[in-house]
Amino acid sequence: MNPDIVKERRNATFDVETLTNILDGGPEKTSRRREIESLVLNDPDFKEQDPNFLSRSERYEQAVRKSAQMILKLREYGIADPEEIYCYKSTVRGTFHEALGLHYAMFLPTLYNQCTPEQSAKWLPLAESFQALGTYAQTELGHGTHLRGLETTATYDPATQEFVLNSPTVSSIKWWPGGLGKTSNHAIVLAQLYTQGNCHGLHAFITPIRDMDTHQPLPGIVVGDIGPKFGFNEVDNGFLKLENVRIPRENMLMKFAKVEPDGTYVKPPSAKLTYGTMVFIRSMIVGDSARCLAKACTISIRYSAVRHQSEIRPGDPEPQILDYQTQQHKLFPLLATAYAFTYVGQYMHDTYQRISGDINAGDFSELPELHALSAGLKAFTSWIANAGIEVCRMSCGGHGYSRSSGLPDIYVEFTPSCTYEGENTVMMLQTARYLVKSYRQAKAGKQLNGIVSYLSEARHGRVQPQPVAARPRVVDINDLASLVEAYKLRAANLVELAAKSIQQELQHRKSQEDAWNNSAIELVRSSDAHCHYVVVKLFTDKLGEISDTAVHSVMSTLALLYALHGITKNSGDFLQAGLLTVPQVLQISTRVKELLSQLRPNTVALVDAFDFHDMKLNSVLGRYDGNVYENMFEWARNSPLNTTEVHESFHKYLKPLRAKL
């Protein structure tokens, strides 16, 4: 063990294991998670060469092999619980992605949630036995987040009781689905449904794309890999062109919407039900944002504890860079954010499961709020985590640029989440649409429920009708309940400003569409403020569930840092709303510095509590034992360029350059 890392752990004021148990949901769950992880970590079948030293084709093949091994091992161990399967799979893949990721994350969940009983009886055995290997083909070359603009068509032919699927334009070619290029033999294709001469919008169709025995593309199917990307080198993101592909009527997912044999269309209870899989993935991205940011914080904070650099006072020994206030200011708020997002991710998981149960029971009342909340939090958390991972990388100096640090891989594997399953700005605007609608309902006298209930306070005078709230309010900057209230009122104020901006545009005889576009900046700000309020509230609520005094104390400090640091980044909003005074903003900056100092003894213990095994972290800089330099040298020696002392290029190209004397 590196002596610096030992000292850091000795200085902690709380028990790391207790906090790990809280994060996992109890000691039994921690024990079971570690048991599942050990099945992978001790399995020689999953010992492999570092993917960074492989070609893309080799990385894809290795990923397929690992995915196949996972399936066999899960069967062998009898692991069937979805959360335990996820734990096992995430341990196998580490930072990288797996070849069958969308089969698990989108193909199977869509079948579970949108099949009729008859369809379930046919397709679930095929999908669960991996005879039908599936993906989810929604995004097209010309359209992604704007779903209504998708061009793929599914035209019903009552004479044969078949749908005819077509890609009518170049821009309608399906583009980006993971596992589509080489792995899958089926795809759930999102297409515009035409029947009896009418278009009924997007619906989902189970579409065979490759022969289940030979794996050759079926007639009318043009399919392949889209080529190298910024990351995701293990995944065969693909393209799909459909040329008069006929599928049986029963291949349309008909749990909610239906097409009768004669072509009669039966509407679903809610149009948003078609997008249920996306809501599920967006909810998952919130948790993924927390995990990836937690990994980056673990690496950068551990490395900052063992790296010594420069000197604070001339002649003194070089201090740990974790002792520099600037390093603390970079990393400690991100650590607080990682914890905040962890609790929000748990909330989104539980909320999705609860509302999904209601939907299956025929209650769709909370679907709009789930759709809006998952969209906004997906954008809010992924934007912040993405930027935070890069801050963590840069805080490690030059060594953070090396792939051995693990940070470049975390960044390139996570950053697509800002655009997939809905580009973030559009996601924020979707949430804003729900917020403005809710605000207008509250203004008309309706009592709101759920997470937007605070907007009802607008008509009771707590948020004044003026753009700037007239009455000064006293916010206690050391009281989390008071800060939650401030975040709530800031959000209400910005939603109100966005709604008024639209109204002003309409008064200038702008169309609804132009009024919306001309107010988009205010709308995105309102969604951001709403999501920020939700995160601060949920983090604060979580404290009420923590009984251990020492853990509660350090979590309260983290929550306070998260809330106050957020104010420093958005002080104009709080000042504009009359929630804070300028002297208070200055006090908050001073208080943030004090909190950094308070957290300093506990930061290594706080990242230890995430309990990332070294093999899952895959970082030389973030090793648990802190022995960075010896292992970085060993990692470098394993580079394929070092297999020979003299590379063949010397003899081919460099030696002939020598001029003869």
Side-chain angles (χ1 to χ4, degrees):
M1 282 283 182
N2 181 290
D4 286 318
I5 211 88
V6 171
K7 180 189 72 174
E8 294 294 330
R9 292 181 175 124
R10 193 182 298 126
N11 288 340
T13 63
F14 68 95
D15 180 62
V16 170
E17 185 73 4
T18 300
L19 180 51
T20 300
N21 294 160
I22 292 169
L23 293 172
D24 284 330
E28 299 82 8
K29 289 191 175 182
T30 297
S31 177
R32 179 57 177 160
R33 173 180 58 77
R34 289 174 177 165
E35 181 183 349
I36 291 170
E37 289 176 350
S38 69
L39 293 174
V40 177
L41 301 173
N42 298 322
D43 191 333
D45 287 339
F46 294 120
K47 300 290 190 295
E48 68 217 359
Q49 189 176 355
D50 189 321
N52 286 305
F53 294 143
L54 300 177
S55 69
R56 179 162 181 255
S57 180
E58 289 170 332
R59 290 176 76 150
Y60 169 69
E61 182 175 356
Q62 182 168 276
V64 173
R65 181 187 66 78
K66 285 168 64 176
S67 290
Q69 286 284 358
M70 279 194 291
I71 294 165
L72 296 174
K73 302 281 183 178
L74 288 167
R75 289 175 183 167
E76 178 185 341
Y77 298 136
I79 297 174
D81 179 81
E83 291 190 18
E84 294 189 354
I85 290 173
Y86 181 83
C87 176
Y88 188 90
K89 289 162 72 269
S90 66
T91 307
V92 171
R93 65 180 177 85
T95 299
F96 304 102
H97 294 269
E98 60 168 309
L100 297 179
L102 260 65
H103 179 86
Y104 282 102
M106 299 192 81
F107 187 70
L108 275 169
T110 304
L111 296 180
Y112 290 140
N113 292 321
Q114 297 190 38
C115 279
T116 63
E118 295 77 16
Q119 290 173 322
S120 295
K122 175 181 178 179
W123 289 106
L124 288 181
L126 292 171
E128 290 172 343
S129 66
F130 301 95
Q131 295 177 66
L133 294 167
T135 186
Y136 191 87
Q138 175 175 290
T139 299
E140 297 173 358
L141 196 51
H143 287 93
T145 305
H146 179 52
L147 299 181
R148 290 193 300 276
L150 295 178
E151 300 175 83
T152 303
T153 61
T155 305
Y156 184 64
D157 180 357
T160 61
Q161 294 196 23
E162 293 174 315
F163 290 101
V164 184
L165 273 61
N166 270 298
S167 305
T169 62
V170 172
S171 57
S172 70
I173 296 170
K174 294 295 181 183
W175 200 270
W176 279 115
L180 177 61
K182 294 294 176 184
T183 308
S184 300
N185 56 27
H186 284 75
I188 290 173
V189 173
L190 273 287
Q192 302 287 357
L193 168 63
Y194 285 85
T195 180
Q196 296 180 341
N198 297 312
C199 179
H200 297 284
L202 282 185
H203 290 73
F205 301 86
I206 304 171
T207 307
I209 58 174
R210 293 179 182 272
D211 186 278
M212 291 173 69
D213 293 320
T214 67
H215 211 60
Q216 288 290 330
L218 295 169
I221 298 290
V222 181
V223 64
D225 179 80
I226 65 171
K229 307 160 295 276
F230 191 43
F232 274 61
N233 289 305
E234 286 71 28
V235 181
D236 55 324
N237 296 85
F239 60 79
L240 174 65
K241 189 172 187 292
L242 300 154
E243 299 174 340
N244 293 315
V245 174
R246 287 181 170 266
I247 59 173
R249 182 181 69 89
E250 293 78 13
N251 280 31
M252 173 181 160
L253 292 174
M254 294 200 200
K255 181 175 182 179
F256 301 113
K258 294 181 176 63
V259 172
E260 303 289 2
D262 66 354
T264 301
Y265 177 70
V266 181
K267 290 198 301 185
S270 169
K272 289 184 171 63
L273 289 167
T274 303
Y275 313 132
T277 304
M278 284 193 305
V279 173
F280 169 65
I281 296 297
R282 288 169 189 166
S283 301
M284 285 186 63
I285 288 172
V286 177
D288 199 37
S289 298
R291 280 184 290 275
C292 290
L293 184 56
K295 283 184 176 181
C297 287
T298 300
I299 294 166
S300 56
I301 287 173
R302 283 179 180 169
Y303 177 63
S304 296
V306 302
R307 177 76 171 186
H308 291 252
Q309 187 88 1
S310 302
E311 51 189 30
I312 294 177
R313 285 174 290 274
D316 282 1
E318 291 184 306
Q320 299 160 276
I321 58 174
L322 202 55
D323 286 334
Y324 286 99
Q325 190 182 72
T326 50
Q327 190 78 343
Q328 295 170 10
H329 193 246
K330 290 175 191 173
L331 297 179
F332 294 3
L334 290 176
L335 177 60
T337 303
Y339 270 93
F341 288 1
T342 297
Y343 301 135
V344 175
Q346 293 170 354
Y347 171 84
M348 281 305 300
H349 174 272
D350 295 344
T351 300
Y352 176 83
Q353 296 297 331
R354 176 178 60 78
I355 295 178
S356 291
D358 293 343
I359 290 170
N360 288 329
D363 179 1
F364 306 102
S365 60
E366 291 190 78
L367 181 58
E369 179 168 319
L370 175 63
H371 184 269
L373 189 61
S374 65
L377 285 176
K378 178 266 183 188
F380 183 81
T381 58
S382 62
W383 259 335
I384 291 173
N386 187 59
I389 293 164
E390 178 65 354
V391 169
C392 288
R393 184 192 68 78
M394 290 190 289
S395 74
C396 292
H399 290 329
Y401 189 66
S402 169
R403 278 251 163 94
S404 68
S405 73
L407 291 163
D409 288 325
I410 294 173
Y411 182 81
V412 299
E413 300 301 321
F414 178 76
T415 195
S417 64
C418 294
T419 47
Y420 64 51
E421 303 314 313
E423 190 276 330
N424 278 357
T425 301
V426 178
M427 293 296 93
M428 284 296 198
L429 289 170
Q430 285 188 11
T431 302
R433 193 175 296 278
Y434 180 74
L435 292 173
V436 170
K437 180 180 178 181
S438 299
Y439 168 80
R440 288 171 175 167
Q441 289 174 337
K443 196 173 180 183
K446 180 179 178 181
Q447 180 60 45
L448 302 177
N449 298 312
I451 206 75
V452 295
S453 59
Y454 67 90
L455 294 174
S456 293
E457 296 175 7
R459 67 183 296 269
H460 296 302
R462 293 201 190 177
V463 179
Q464 299 299 312
Q466 298 85 1
V468 179
R471 293 181 297 169
R473 297 180 178 87
V474 178
V475 174
D476 183 347
I477 65 171
N478 291 301
D479 179 66
L480 278 167
S482 182
L483 292 170
V484 170
E485 182 75 6
Y487 271 91
K488 178 175 73 175
L489 293 173
R490 171 211 177 201
N493 190 60
L494 287 176
V495 172
E496 186 173 52
L497 287 172
K500 288 185 174 180
S501 174
I502 294 172
Q503 190 60 37
Q504 288 167 2
E505 291 288 331
L506 292 172
Q507 288 171 357
H508 287 89
R509 299 184 179 180
K510 297 286 178 66
S511 67
Q512 282 283 353
E513 295 77 13
D514 286 339
W516 182 267
N517 185 48
N518 292 343
S519 305
I521 294 172
E522 289 86 353
L523 288 162
V524 170
R525 286 181 64 217
S526 70
S527 289
D528 183 86
H530 171 73
C531 293
H532 210 162
Y533 156 65
V534 170
V535 175
V536 172
K537 181 181 185 302
L538 292 176
F539 198 170
T540 303
D541 290 348
K542 183 67 180 181
L543 298 177
E545 302 174 17
I546 299 173
S547 58
D548 184 276
T549 305
V551 172
H552 188 279
S553 176
V554 74
M555 282 294 105
S556 297
T557 305
L558 272 181
L560 190 58
L561 176 61
Y562 179 79
L564 293 180
H565 185 262
I567 290 176
T568 66
K569 293 293 185 183
N570 301 278
S571 56
D573 292 345
F574 291 89
L575 289 168
Q576 181 187 42
L579 299 168
L580 292 170
T581 63
V582 172
Q584 279 183 305
V585 173
L586 296 174
Q587 289 171 10
I588 287 171
S589 295
T590 301
R591 186 71 179 110
V592 165
K593 291 181 182 180
E594 294 170 356
L595 293 171
L596 297 178
S597 181
Q598 285 179 34
L599 283 169
R600 170 65 183 85
N602 281 313
T603 48
V604 168
L606 282 166
V607 297
D608 285 351
F610 291 127
D611 204 27
F612 293 119
H613 191 280
D614 279 351
M615 286 181 66
K616 285 188 74 172
L617 205 56
N618 195 32
S619 169
V620 173
L621 299 190
R623 293 173 58 91
Y624 184 82
D625 62 15
N627 294 325
V628 170
Y629 302 125
E630 308 92 318
N631 288 284
M632 182 174 259
F633 183 51
E634 186 62 29
W635 185 88
R637 287 172 66 89
N638 288 327
S639 169
L641 281 177
N642 293 324
T643 54
T644 59
E645 291 295 336
V646 180
H647 194 268
E648 59 183 339
S649 61
F650 171 78
H651 299 289
K652 286 183 178 180
Y653 309 114
L654 299 180
K655 194 171 183 180
L657 291 176
R658 297 181 178 184
K660 293 184 179 180
L661 297 176

